[in-house]
Amino acid sequence: MRPLLELFWSFFKIGVFTFGGGYAMIPLIQREVTDRKGWIPAQEFLDLLTVAQSAPGPISLNTSVFVGYKIRGYAGAVASVLGVVVPSFAIILVIAVYFADIRRNPVVDAAFRGMRPAVVALILAPVFSLGRGMHRALMLVAAAAALAIWLLDLSPIYVILAGAAGGILWELANIRKLRP
């Protein structure tokens, strides 16, 4: 059985040295738990990653929960989540403490203005990569949903619920077509 501290430390290192969001952490988590530590076989990691992607929440947290649980049960899940979250929490806490003092600094303000396009690109990149294999009609539906949220100030929750209902109705209609 793996010590909880070793599990925490592995995920702590990943949390400290990963920039670019949750998807950027996945290769580091895989390298750590499959290649370096050998805790989980590669195919099993891919299965855990599939479950993590389908669960609500950030992919990096979901992956750390499932990997930690697989390795050491509930205690492992807690240790791995804490390992991945504590670095970000500490960094944000330090920034928040000093941000009020430096927010009016013209250099800091210029840096934030310069980061905006990069943040937009980081958000749009996964959208385009997910949309590559999507049918054109579904791309139009996604664009209409985004415009409805943006222009009509519609809650994303309603758009998600409408999409789920539409998907269920679509599948039910296809099932009826297949029946003789």
Side-chain angles (χ1 to χ4, degrees), residues 101-114:
D101 296 336
I102 63 171
R103 175 62 182 117
R104 306 266 182 251
N105 184 318
V107 174
V108 172
D109 193 47
F112 277 114
R113 275 188 275 125

Short mmCIF file of all heavy atoms in Angstrom, two decimals, residues 101-114:
data_model
loop_
_atom_site.label_atom_id
_atom_site.label_comp_id
_atom_site.label_asym_id
_atom_site.label_seq_id
_atom_site.Cartn_x
_atom_site.Cartn_y
_atom_site.Cartn_z
N ASP A 101 -2.85 46.07 -3.09
CA ASP A 101 -1.76 47.05 -3.05
C ASP A 101 -1.14 47.30 -4.43
O ASP A 101 -0.70 48.41 -4.71
CB ASP A 101 -0.65 46.58 -2.09
CG ASP A 101 -1.14 46.51 -0.65
OD1 ASP A 101 -2.12 47.22 -0.33
OD2 ASP A 101 -0.55 45.76 0.13
N ILE A 102 -1.11 46.28 -5.27
CA ILE A 102 -0.43 46.44 -6.56
C ILE A 102 -1.39 46.62 -7.72
O ILE A 102 -0.95 46.85 -8.85
CB ILE A 102 0.50 45.24 -6.84
CG1 ILE A 102 -0.31 43.95 -6.97
CG2 ILE A 102 1.59 45.13 -5.80
CD1 ILE A 102 0.49 42.77 -7.47
N ARG A 103 -2.69 46.55 -7.49
CA ARG A 103 -3.66 46.62 -8.59
C ARG A 103 -3.56 47.94 -9.35
O ARG A 103 -3.75 47.99 -10.54
CB ARG A 103 -5.08 46.43 -8.04
CG ARG A 103 -6.17 46.60 -9.08
CD ARG A 103 -6.02 45.54 -10.17
NE ARG A 103 -7.03 45.72 -11.20
CZ ARG A 103 -6.76 46.02 -12.46
NH1 ARG A 103 -5.53 46.18 -12.86
NH2 ARG A 103 -7.72 46.15 -13.34
N ARG A 104 -3.28 49.01 -8.70
CA ARG A 104 -3.20 50.32 -9.34
C ARG A 104 -1.85 50.57 -10.03
O ARG A 104 -1.67 51.57 -10.68
CB ARG A 104 -3.46 51.43 -8.32
CG ARG A 104 -4.75 51.27 -7.57
CD ARG A 104 -5.86 52.06 -8.23
NE ARG A 104 -7.09 51.93 -7.45
CZ ARG A 104 -8.13 51.25 -7.85
NH1 ARG A 104 -8.11 50.62 -8.99
NH2 ARG A 104 -9.22 51.17 -7.11
N ASN A 105 -0.94 49.63 -9.90
CA ASN A 105 0.37 49.74 -10.53
C ASN A 105 0.20 49.64 -12.06
O ASN A 105 -0.38 48.68 -12.56
CB ASN A 105 1.28 48.63 -10.01
CG ASN A 105 2.69 48.72 -10.53
OD1 ASN A 105 2.92 49.01 -11.69
ND2 ASN A 105 3.63 48.46 -9.64
N PRO A 106 0.72 50.62 -12.82
CA PRO A 106 0.53 50.58 -14.28
C PRO A 106 1.17 49.36 -14.95
O PRO A 106 0.66 48.86 -15.94
CB PRO A 106 1.20 51.86 -14.77
CG PRO A 106 1.64 52.62 -13.58
CD PRO A 106 1.41 51.81 -12.37
N VAL A 107 2.25 48.86 -14.41
CA VAL A 107 2.90 47.67 -14.99
C VAL A 107 2.01 46.45 -14.80
O VAL A 107 1.82 45.64 -15.72
CB VAL A 107 4.29 47.45 -14.35
CG1 VAL A 107 4.91 46.15 -14.82
CG2 VAL A 107 5.20 48.63 -14.65
N VAL A 108 1.45 46.29 -13.60
CA VAL A 108 0.55 45.17 -13.33
C VAL A 108 -0.70 45.27 -14.19
O VAL A 108 -1.16 44.28 -14.78
CB VAL A 108 0.19 45.12 -11.82
CG1 VAL A 108 -0.88 44.08 -11.56
CG2 VAL A 108 1.43 44.84 -10.99
N ASP A 109 -1.24 46.48 -14.31
CA ASP A 109 -2.43 46.69 -15.13
C ASP A 109 -2.14 46.33 -16.59
O ASP A 109 -2.95 45.68 -17.25
CB ASP A 109 -2.89 48.15 -15.01
CG ASP A 109 -4.26 48.36 -15.59
OD1 ASP A 109 -5.16 47.54 -15.28
OD2 ASP A 109 -4.43 49.33 -16.37
N ALA A 110 -0.99 46.74 -17.09
CA ALA A 110 -0.60 46.41 -18.47
C ALA A 110 -0.42 44.90 -18.65
O ALA A 110 -0.81 44.34 -19.68
CB ALA A 110 0.68 47.14 -18.83
N ALA A 111 0.13 44.24 -17.64
CA ALA A 111 0.31 42.78 -17.71
C ALA A 111 -1.05 42.08 -17.80
O ALA A 111 -1.22 41.15 -18.60
CB ALA A 111 1.09 42.29 -16.50
N PHE A 112 -2.01 42.53 -17.00
CA PHE A 112 -3.35 41.92 -17.05
C PHE A 112 -4.02 42.16 -18.40
O PHE A 112 -4.68 41.27 -18.93
CB PHE A 112 -4.23 42.42 -15.91
CG PHE A 112 -3.99 41.70 -14.62
CD1 PHE A 112 -3.44 42.35 -13.53
CD2 PHE A 112 -4.30 40.36 -14.49
CE1 PHE A 112 -3.22 41.69 -12.35
CE2 PHE A 112 -4.07 39.68 -13.32
CZ PHE A 112 -3.53 40.34 -12.24
N ARG A 113 -3.87 43.36 -18.94
CA ARG A 113 -4.44 43.63 -20.26
C ARG A 113 -3.77 42.76 -21.32
O ARG A 113 -4.42 42.30 -22.25
CB ARG A 113 -4.29 45.11 -20.61
CG ARG A 113 -5.43 45.94 -20.05
CD ARG A 113 -5.40 47.37 -20.56
NE ARG A 113 -4.49 48.12 -19.67
CZ ARG A 113 -3.44 48.82 -20.07
NH1 ARG A 113 -3.16 48.92 -21.34
NH2 ARG A 113 -2.67 49.44 -19.20
N GLY A 114 -2.48 42.52 -21.17
CA GLY A 114 -1.77 41.66 -22.11
C GLY A 114 -2.15 40.19 -21.98
O GLY A 114 -2.09 39.44 -22.95
#
